[in-house]
Amino acid sequence: MSHFVDELATENNTKIVFLVLDGLGGLPVKGKKGTELQVARTPNLDSLAAESVCGLMDPILPGVTPGSGPAHFALFGYDPVEANIGRGVLEAAGINLPLTDRDVAIRINFATRDAQGNITDRRAGRIATEINQRVCEKIRRNVSLKPDADIILETVKEHRAALLIRGDALGGDIDDTDPQKLGVPPLEPVANTPGSEKTVALVKKFLDQAHKAIADEPNANTVLLRGFAKHKPYRSMYERYKLKSLAIANYPMYRGVAFLLNMDLHPVTRDTASEFQAVKEKYDEYDYFFVHVKGTDARGEDGDFDAKVKVIEEVDTLLPALTDLNPDVMVVTADHSTPAAMSGHSWHPVPVLLKSDICRPDLVTRFDEISCIQGGLSRMPSMQLMPIILANANRLQKFGA
Amino acid sequence: MSHFVDELATENNTKIVFLVLDGLGGLPVKGKKGTELQVARTPNLDSLAAESVCGLMDPILPGVTPGSGPAHFALFGYDPVEANIGRGVLEAAGINLPLTDRDVAIRINFATRDAQGNITDRRAGRIATEINQRVCEKIRRNVSLKPDADIILETVKEHRAALLIRGDALGGDIDDTDPQKLGVPPLEPVANTPGSEKTVALVKKFLDQAHKAIADEPNANTVLLRGFAKHKPYRSMYERYKLKSLAIANYPMYRGVAFLLNMDLHPVTRDTASEFQAVKEKYDEYDYFFVHVKGTDARGEDGDFDAKVKVIEEVDTLLPALTDLNPDVMVVTADHSTPAAMSGHSWHPVPVLLKSDICRPDLVTRFDEISCIQGGLSRMPSMQLMPIILANANRLQKFGA
């Protein structure tokens, strides 16, 4: 489907502000009158909803609880099942390592092992990021896979790092070497398919050299390799939709997804107010503004209903900073639900509102999961939203005669 | 999907009246209390809606604005993307040229060129249809592609004609020869794929001979070729659904689509009242009546909100002529939206009502885009409607044991 819509996409000078309140969808809990969104006082979101077409969206498929990666791909109109990527690629993208189609991406956990080679700490005592940087530098200086491959190694934080093995015809179908328990040595890397055997040979060479290089480290004296993934580049937001896109997001995961779609990344900002301010500052330079608010998800994960309500109310108070720009299309939605009642992601569909001068408003006058059931968008997969946004921005040509 | 449903279709003596109000869907405009349908006084449609199951339909996909061709294919249960056809085929079908699977169909614009061969009028001064007929006759008498191919050439109207090149192994992947500007000669026909090279050779032969034949014409002394399309025949409405179908439509485009699906074509009638009368007259002879009303779309294209309201109200007044026949299934819907506010087609979903004795009515008591959101059909792609119609007509067998 996506390919067919892409061919209709056309340039225009219209502006789209796409506000994602991470994990916004919720559930009622005892003693509260409804979900987090229902309980929150949200006069700005409600009056926006009254002028919008509203609905509910399933991030992946009904009943499927998504991770943040696929849930965001769906919001950008990419098939979340097809676009689903290994953790290695997400980790590398999260620190904006420039990935190529010759790369196998791998997450590294630095770990501690004893004289017998058995793991005693799977996170190397959560070493400081500065130590991680020093250890990575040691490896970079002492490890080489030339002429078969290059390695790109970068610190993420604490005990985590990202590794790219870059070479020709390298498969990524390799299981983790993390045994997920203590008192045993790391697992040997094993190729699940013949196409990954060359990579496994290179990984073994990497491990031999890296272990020698960091043998004298008190904590980080071994590495566990996880989330092997061959990188397949995505068609960018510009290639697909002709949208010059800016991502305003403060967490590596979301910056990573935006990076993979070749959006420009705004520098990390202090808070939601600064994020909204960034839209205003960059308003003339871009067509599409992806604005990501993390607090709703974080407080949901904490299981803190009241705190999540408070984040929603803060966003509502700040909302005029975006709506006063009067974008041609204003969207507020979520990647997935994170009900405080569940302290984690869930499959529940997420509310969405879309306002434009030509959106055909419905009868919904309150932005919450229950009111939006009555909306004109009805219920649909999240990945169907992007064509509707483009249509409302007058950026899709007619199909057929 | 369609193939699977087709196998369940079975004969019956039930009657289906399928009323399409072209471009019915609308948008609210300032100073009016809602959309065209909301503003229109429609007591008959409303009481029909109260006995119906209602909903909203996306002609192609959410966000995609359709042309009339694919939008109608979807209403007849044909995948609108797969069934999408070149303009050449639509033009030929519109004047009911009998197409075969050996045909490449091409739209012709007669044009004027000067002594240097440069185009001075892309529409040959919009010559009268009678002149077009005379020029076509000249070409038919003087042009031959035998033994490689036959040509079928027919006047459409004014400067427009339809051409079929009929032969073996002819591809249709050829760009227009219309340069879309004046002061330059027509473009040379170019094959985009090797399979169309044979056709291009024939087209060049056609052009050489035709130019000689019409060299002395004051206005129509050259032709521009557009919308090259290889014809792939469709499975007919009868083959797929066992429906003896009559199309009651007054415009070439809709007659053309019906023709391609092998519906019988009622002679062109004077007005909507005559169209409805035709259903009554032919009621015993057919199972399925496609009744097409153009005025809603035409007034929407004009951007005339009030005139579109008036067309809707006229249809409502005439509606008892259809409902008094008491068909087993009565459907009222649209191919797409043509909001007066946009003076053109749009992507907005269209309202649908379906009445039968076994339709499970919902709470909708007003036939408009906003009320139908609450309907029992919810929101669905237009191409899913046909199986529901067949089911309500007791024309679909059970699937599986």
Side-chain angles (χ1 to χ4, degrees), chain A residues 358 360 374-375 377-378 391 399 401, chain B residues 26 65 67 69 87 348-349 374 379:
Chain A
I358 46 177
R360 193 193 274 168
Q374 315 296 329
L377 293 174
S378 185
F399 172 70
Chain B
T65 297
R87 287 299 306 225
H348 299 89
Q374 316 298 328
R379 182 174 180 177

Side-chain angles (χ1 to χ4, degrees), chain A residues 1 4-5 8 358-363 374-378 384 387-388 391-392 396 398-401, chain B residues 26-27 61-70 80 84 87 337 347-349 369-370 373-374 378-379:
Chain A
M1 163 190 119
F4 149 73
V5 170
L8 304 175
I358 46 177
C359 71
R360 193 193 274 168
D362 48 42
L363 299 177
Q374 315 296 329
L377 293 174
S378 185
Q384 289 188 354
I388 300 174
N392 277 277
L396 272 194
K398 186 161 74 170
F399 172 70
Chain B
L27 282 178
L61 281 172
V64 174
T65 297
S68 295
N84 194 29
R87 287 299 306 225
S337 296
W347 65 91
H348 299 89
E369 304 89 341
I370 310 304
I373 295 171
Q374 316 298 328
S378 186
R379 182 174 180 177

Side-chain angles (χ1 to χ4, degrees), chain A residues 13-306:
Chain A
N13 57 3
T14 46
K15 303 285 183 187
I16 300 162
V17 175
F18 189 71
L19 175 59
V20 176
L21 306 180
D22 201 301
L24 177 64
L27 282 176
V29 301
K30 261 183 199 151
K32 308 285 180 187
K33 292 190 151 76
T35 67
E36 297 90 319
L37 249 183
Q38 285 184 298
V39 168
R41 217 188 134 266
T42 54
N44 290 315
L45 283 165
D46 296 345
S47 69
L48 190 59
E51 298 180 291
S52 299
V53 62
C54 298
L56 284 182
M57 302 197 301
D58 291 289
I60 314 292
L61 282 172
V64 174
T65 297
S68 296
H72 272 80
F73 276 113
L75 289 177
F76 301 134
Y78 291 70
D79 183 319
V81 176
E82 205 180 283
N84 194 27
I85 47 179
R87 289 300 306 227
V89 168
L90 268 183
E91 190 90 329
I95 56 170
N96 308 143
L97 284 189
L99 289 141
T100 76
D101 59 5
R102 297 172 68 232
D103 295 350
V104 171
I106 308 157
R107 302 172 78 195
I108 283 187
N109 271 16
F110 287 111
T112 315
R113 57 177 181 174
D114 61 19
Q116 286 71 49
N118 294 326
I119 297 166
T120 57
D121 189 323
R122 288 176 52 243
R123 293 183 184 84
R126 285 196 190 272
I127 46 171
T129 300
E130 295 71 36
I131 296 178
N132 181 317
Q133 287 164 337
R134 183 167 53 71
V135 174
C136 281
E137 182 53 28
K138 265 192 195 174
I139 294 176
R140 278 193 295 263
R141 223 180 302 128
N142 292 290
V143 175
S144 170
L145 301 179
K146 283 183 193 302
D148 296 317
D150 293 313
I151 63 166
I152 294 101
L153 174 69
E154 285 296 340
T155 297
V156 176
K157 65 175 190 173
E158 297 177 346
H159 57 290
R160 287 160 46 208
L163 173 66
L164 304 182
I165 299 183
R166 180 171 295 168
D168 292 326
L170 300 181
D173 191 6
I174 302 168
D175 288 336
D176 292 358
T177 70
D178 184 347
Q180 299 280 350
K181 57 184 174 186
L182 303 180
V184 295
L187 301 172
E188 285 292 307
V190 176
N192 289 322
T193 46
S196 298
E197 281 166 11
K198 184 178 169 190
T199 316
V200 163
L202 291 169
V203 167
K204 286 181 176 173
K205 239 170 114 176
F206 170 85
L207 287 171
D208 279 351
Q209 296 180 30
H211 281 148
K212 278 175 202 149
I214 63 176
D216 60 344
E217 284 291 328
N219 295 300
N221 65 358
T222 188
V223 297
L224 303 175
L225 305 180
R226 313 198 300 164
F228 286 85
K230 169 81 183 182
H231 180 54
K232 279 184 289 184
Y234 298 85
R235 295 183 69 216
S236 72
M237 294 279 280
Y238 187 80
E239 282 174 285
R240 291 194 58 193
Y241 310 131
K242 311 268 193 293
L243 289 175
K244 280 193 68 183
S245 304
L246 179 67
I248 303 170
N250 291 339
Y251 284 72
M253 157 74 84
Y254 316 100
R255 298 177 72 81
V257 172
F259 178 76
L260 289 171
L261 302 184
N262 210 18
M263 297 188 208
D264 284 354
L265 300 179
H266 192 276
V268 169
T269 58
R270 203 172 54 248
D271 52 21
T272 303
S274 315
E275 291 190 302
F276 289 10
Q277 180 62 25
V279 177
K280 186 175 182 182
E281 282 162 13
K282 299 291 178 180
Y283 200 63
D284 292 338
E285 294 175 43
Y286 293 91
D287 306 315
Y288 175 92
F289 299 85
F290 159 48
V291 186
H292 181 265
V293 171
K294 178 70 177 171
T296 30
D297 178 61
R299 298 296 80 73
E301 295 265 10
D302 295 343
D304 191 337
F305 188 100
D306 294 337

Side-chain angles (χ1 to χ4, degrees), chain B residues 147-293:
Chain B
D148 295 319
D150 293 314
I151 62 165
I152 294 100
L153 175 69
E154 286 295 339
T155 296
V156 175
K157 66 175 191 173
E158 296 176 348
H159 58 290
R160 286 162 46 211
L163 173 66
L164 304 182
I165 299 183
R166 180 171 296 167
D168 292 325
L170 300 181
D173 192 5
I174 301 168
D175 287 336
D176 294 359
T177 69
D178 184 347
Q180 301 279 350
K181 57 183 173 187
L182 302 180
V184 296
L187 303 173
E188 286 292 305
V190 177
N192 290 321
T193 46
S196 297
E197 282 167 11
K198 184 177 168 190
T199 316
V200 163
L202 291 169
V203 167
K204 287 182 175 171
K205 238 169 116 175
F206 170 85
L207 287 170
D208 279 350
Q209 298 180 27
H211 281 148
K212 280 174 202 150
I214 63 176
D216 60 344
E217 285 290 329
N219 295 300
N221 65 356
T222 189
V223 297
L224 303 175
L225 305 179
R226 312 198 300 163
F228 285 85
K230 169 82 183 181
H231 180 54
K232 278 183 288 181
Y234 298 86
R235 295 184 67 215
S236 72
M237 293 280 280
Y238 187 80
E239 281 174 285
R240 291 193 57 192
Y241 309 132
K242 312 268 193 293
L243 289 175
K244 280 194 66 184
S245 303
L246 180 66
I248 303 170
N250 291 340
Y251 283 74
M253 159 74 86
Y254 318 99
R255 297 177 72 81
V257 172
F259 178 77
L260 289 171
L261 303 183
N262 210 19
M263 297 190 207
D264 283 354
L265 299 180
H266 192 277
V268 169
T269 60
R270 203 174 51 249
D271 52 21
T272 303
S274 316
E275 291 190 301
F276 289 10
Q277 179 63 24
V279 177
K280 187 176 181 182
E281 283 161 13
K282 300 289 178 182
Y283 200 64
D284 292 339
E285 295 176 43
Y286 293 92
D287 306 316
Y288 175 93
F289 300 84
F290 159 48
V291 185
H292 181 264
V293 172

Side-chain angles (χ1 to χ4, degrees), chain B residues 63 83 121 131 140 233 283 375 389:
Chain B
D121 189 324
I131 296 178
R140 277 193 295 263
Y283 200 64
I389 292 171

